[in-house]
């Protein structure tokens, strides 16, 4: 089916204004947030509801057009933008942005896949509820995208990754079949966990259209502290000490090099008079004021300087030093991002080995979610011809140290060729078998997660 005919068929379902064929209109859907991954879509189609998604998939299947589901396009592994081939239909879920009522008995809410995280937060907070997952791209990231990538973010140490916070899903398979697991019962032991399977499937198994989310009561009190320490080893020791506090919700680290970049890019004043090698941002939240608890836990700790935030304005001020790393790095270049996780004890050794592994081929910036040993290795200045060798050197070291080559961003297109470093041949074969069972023609998100049929 030629592009014009395909566009006509799709327009009959979603309305002509929601089929974007023009290059200028397609552009925002074709390049990722960092500018690293870019391609060309055959068309962009924007359905309004699940019934329209079913029809869109039916038409694309008939046209043998590969389909790439897309949420807020904030992913960092190239899984949400089309390839250069120009044959993929980008299926934007952003119009599915509804939300049902909060169910306080079940502690649940049902949302459309296109609702942004910040829109969900805006709905929950005044009513005394929260969603356990939070991340810096909250204004654009959609719940559907977060679920498809099993996003982690800043509060994993307390609430787990997205997977732990999703009770049920509605999804459409490549052949248009709707799987409805939205009941999200607290107990439901009836066989394969299809919701669990689809979380983190990166758009390769089904198009996620709605989700039943777990909620937590909003803790009334919060306190944050930015702590300056000597080294990554000192920061990890501090995290181990602070994890004894139940109210600990966040433990984020960054280094002097990253902070310098953030200050230069944002114009923010430096947090302390002097620069320090490593910074740890911690936050506690509870029904009671956790400030004393935090102060007690920090007594006698090896901290070079500290700033405490007792109100929301100060908390956001401190959080900005950490959260604005991604945009500051983007402003400085097109970073090569290697989101990895290591056993905590291995982290300082990994950081020390990094310059040797890079061998002058990149400038590293390390920051991330310290409690999980999740380091966002951002590399600037890597020549295109060195990218593969540099990535392999870093990811191999991570795998050898018992870590994971993708902590929270997923595999996408960026790491599909390195999947064997994290998964055995038997596991990859099983993943391919699942893919083929649910999407026999491999029409959904081709090239993402699984590079090929093997
Ligand atoms: C974060 O933790 C995100 O801010 C982005 O996962 C990390 O830019 C990155 O590498
Ligand atoms: Zn992160």
């Amino acid at each position: 089916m030629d592009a014009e005919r395909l566009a006509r068929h799709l327009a009959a379902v979603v309305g002509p204004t929601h089929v974007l064929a023009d290059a200028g209109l397609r552009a925002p859907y074709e390049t990722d947030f960092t500018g690293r991954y870019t391609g060309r879509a055959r068309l962009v189609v924007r359905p309004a509801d699940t019934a329209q998604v079913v029809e869109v998939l039916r038409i694309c299947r008939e046209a043998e057009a590969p389909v790439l589901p897309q949420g807020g396009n904030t992913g960092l592994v190239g899984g949400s933008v089309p390839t250069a081939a120009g044959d993929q239909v980008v299926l934007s879920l952003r119009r599915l942005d509804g939300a049902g009522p909060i169910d306080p008995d079940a502690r649940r809410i049902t949302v459309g896949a296109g609702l942004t995280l910040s829109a969900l937060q805006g709905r929950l907070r005044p009513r005394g509820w929260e969603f356990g997952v939070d991340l810096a791209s909250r204004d654009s990231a959609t719940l559907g995208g977060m679920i498809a990538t099993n996003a982690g973010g800043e509060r994993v140490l307390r609430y787990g990754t997205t997977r732990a916070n999703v009770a049920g899903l509605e999804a459409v398979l490549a052949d248009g079949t709707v799987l409805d697991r939205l009941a999200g019962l607290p107990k439901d032991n009836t066989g394969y966990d299809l919701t669990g399977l689809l979380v983190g499937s990166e758009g390769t198994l089904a198009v996620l259209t709605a989700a039943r989310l777990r909620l937590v009561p909003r803790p009334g009190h919060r306190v944050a502290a930015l702590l300056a320490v000597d080294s990554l080893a000192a920061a990890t020791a501090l995290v181990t000490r602070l994890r004894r506090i139940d109210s600990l919700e966040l433990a984020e680290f960054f280094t002097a090099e990253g902070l310098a970049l953030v200050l230069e890019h944002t114009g923010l004043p430096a947090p302390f008079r002097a620069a320090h090698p490593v910074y740890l941002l911690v936050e506690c939240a509870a029904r009671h004021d956790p400030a004393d608890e935090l102060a007690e836990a920090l007594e006698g700790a090896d901290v070079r300087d500290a700033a405490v935030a007792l109100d929301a304005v100060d908390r956001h001020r401190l959080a900005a030093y950490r959260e604005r790393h991604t945009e500051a790095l983007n402003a400085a270049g097109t970073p090569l991002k290697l989101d990895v996780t290591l056993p905590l004890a291995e982290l300082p050794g990994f950081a020390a080995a990094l310059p040797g592994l890079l061998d002058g081929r990149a400038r590293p910036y390390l920051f991330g979610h310290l409690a999980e040993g999740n380091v966002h290795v951002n590399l600037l200045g890597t020549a295109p011809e060195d990218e593969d060798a540099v990535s392999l050197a870093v990811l191999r070291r991570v795998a050898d140290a018992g870590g994971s080559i993708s902590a929270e961003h997923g595999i996408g297109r960026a790491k599909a060729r390195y999947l064997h470093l994290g998964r055995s041949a038997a596991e990859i074969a099983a993943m391919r078998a699942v893919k083929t069972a649910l999407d026999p023609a491999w029409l959904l998100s081709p090239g993402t997660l699984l590079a090929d049929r093997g």
Side-chain angles (χ1 to χ4, degrees):
M1 200 184 288
D2 63 41
E4 227 169 90
R5 193 144 158 249
L6 180 60
R8 258 202 330 274
H9 283 271
L10 293 172
V13 174
V14 301
T17 52
H18 294 295
V19 178
L20 315 179
D22 186 79
L25 295 175
R26 290 192 330 250
Y29 302 83
E30 294 179 326
T31 299
D32 83 331
F33 172 73
T34 64
R36 170 168 287 275
Y37 297 98
T38 183
R40 197 163 59 80
R42 184 150 157 188
L43 294 166
V44 177
V45 58
R46 299 166 30 98
D49 55 29
T50 304
Q52 290 189 3
V53 172
V54 169
E55 283 307 297
V56 165
L57 286 174
R58 188 185 55 74
I59 293 167
C60 289
R61 188 166 48 97
E62 273 169 26
E64 295 179 358
V67 174
L68 188 71
Q70 189 187 83
N73 198 11
T74 57
L76 295 170
V77 286
S80 60
V81 290
T83 60
D87 61 340
Q88 299 178 351
V89 172
V90 170
L91 197 174
S92 169
L93 278 309
R94 276 188 243 177
R95 289 178 71 212
L96 279 72
D97 60 356
I102 295 166
D103 177 345
D105 301 326
R107 297 180 167 204
R108 304 275 197 267
I109 188 170
T110 299
V111 300
L115 190 71
T116 63
L117 176 58
S118 65
L120 173 67
Q121 291 171 336
R123 205 177 171 91
L124 297 178
R125 283 189 177 150
R127 297 172 174 89
W129 294 95
E130 275 196 359
F131 181 53
V133 185
D134 194 18
L135 29 85
S137 55
R138 58 185 72 80
D139 291 340
S140 318
T142 62
L143 270 305
M146 290 170 60
I147 295 167
T149 56
N150 185 26
E154 299 169 354
R155 300 199 298 203
V156 173
L157 77 91
R158 185 153 184 189
Y159 298 114
T161 61
T162 300
R163 176 171 280 118
N165 293 277
V166 174
L169 281 178
E170 178 191 75
V172 188
L173 299 180
D175 70 356
T177 306
V178 178
L179 299 181
D180 179 354
R181 299 293 304 156
L182 279 179
L185 295 169
K187 286 188 140 182
D188 179 9
N189 205 0
T190 51
Y192 297 153
D193 177 6
L194 296 178
T195 296
L197 175 66
L198 295 182
V199 178
S201 60
E202 300 191 27
T204 61
L205 299 181
V207 178
L208 310 184
T209 45
R212 187 81 172 149
L213 305 177
R214 295 181 208 283
L215 302 179
V216 291
R218 182 162 159 70
H221 299 270
R222 276 177 188 278
V223 59
L226 183 64
L227 310 165
V229 293
D230 268 338
S231 63
L232 205 46
T236 57
L238 208 47
V239 168
T240 306
R241 168 196 276 253
L242 291 175
R243 289 208 75 173
R244 284 185 228 129
I245 320 177
D246 282 344
S247 60
L248 186 70
E249 190 160 292
L250 171 150
E252 302 279 309
F253 85 99
F254 50 93
T255 66
E257 294 77 18
L259 178 63
L261 215 58
V262 168
L263 297 183
E264 189 188 313
H265 169 68
T266 60
L268 290 172
F272 302 116
R273 241 183 259 150
H276 301 281
V278 176
Y279 300 86
L280 181 67
L281 177 71
V282 294
E283 194 166 311
C284 295
R287 275 169 182 274
H288 58 270
D289 184 354
D292 288 348
E293 205 169 48
L294 178 61
E296 245 168 64
L298 285 172
E299 243 165 59
D302 203 0
V303 172
R304 288 164 67 144
D305 211 341
V308 176
L310 296 170
D311 61 28
V313 173
D314 274 352
R315 272 201 324 273
H316 292 140
R317 193 175 55 77
L318 294 186
Y321 295 119
R322 159 63 184 87
E323 288 197 343
R324 298 190 72 178
H325 267 64
T326 300
E327 63 177 87
L329 281 152
N330 262 13
T334 306
L336 177 59
K337 287 182 183 287
L338 298 172
D339 156 49
V340 299
T341 193
L342 288 128
L344 215 50
E346 298 286 338
L347 228 163
F350 168 75
L354 200 55
L357 295 171
L358 297 176
D359 196 19
R361 292 172 293 182
R363 293 193 311 282
Y365 294 85
L366 304 186
F367 61 99
H369 317 286
L370 197 55
E372 297 86 54
N374 181 181
V375 191
H376 294 309
V377 179
N378 275 251
L379 303 175
L380 283 179
T382 318
E385 63 273 20
D386 286 336
E387 284 180 359
D388 190 41
V390 162
S391 301
L392 257 179
V394 175
L395 298 179
R396 273 214 183 101
R397 176 72 164 75
V398 167
D400 290 348
S404 169
I405 64 158
S406 175
E408 61 167 8
H409 294 170
I411 295 295
R413 276 202 270 143
K415 288 181 180 161
R417 64 182 177 286
Y418 309 124
L419 188 60
H420 64 281
L421 294 175
R423 293 299 194 117
S424 68
E427 283 181 305
I428 293 173
M431 286 161 74
R432 284 192 176 117
V434 173
K435 165 76 175 164
T436 304
L438 296 187
D439 177 15
W442 282 54
L443 278 186
L444 296 178
S445 299
T448 293
L449 179 50
L450 297 165
D452 52 49
R453 284 165 180 258

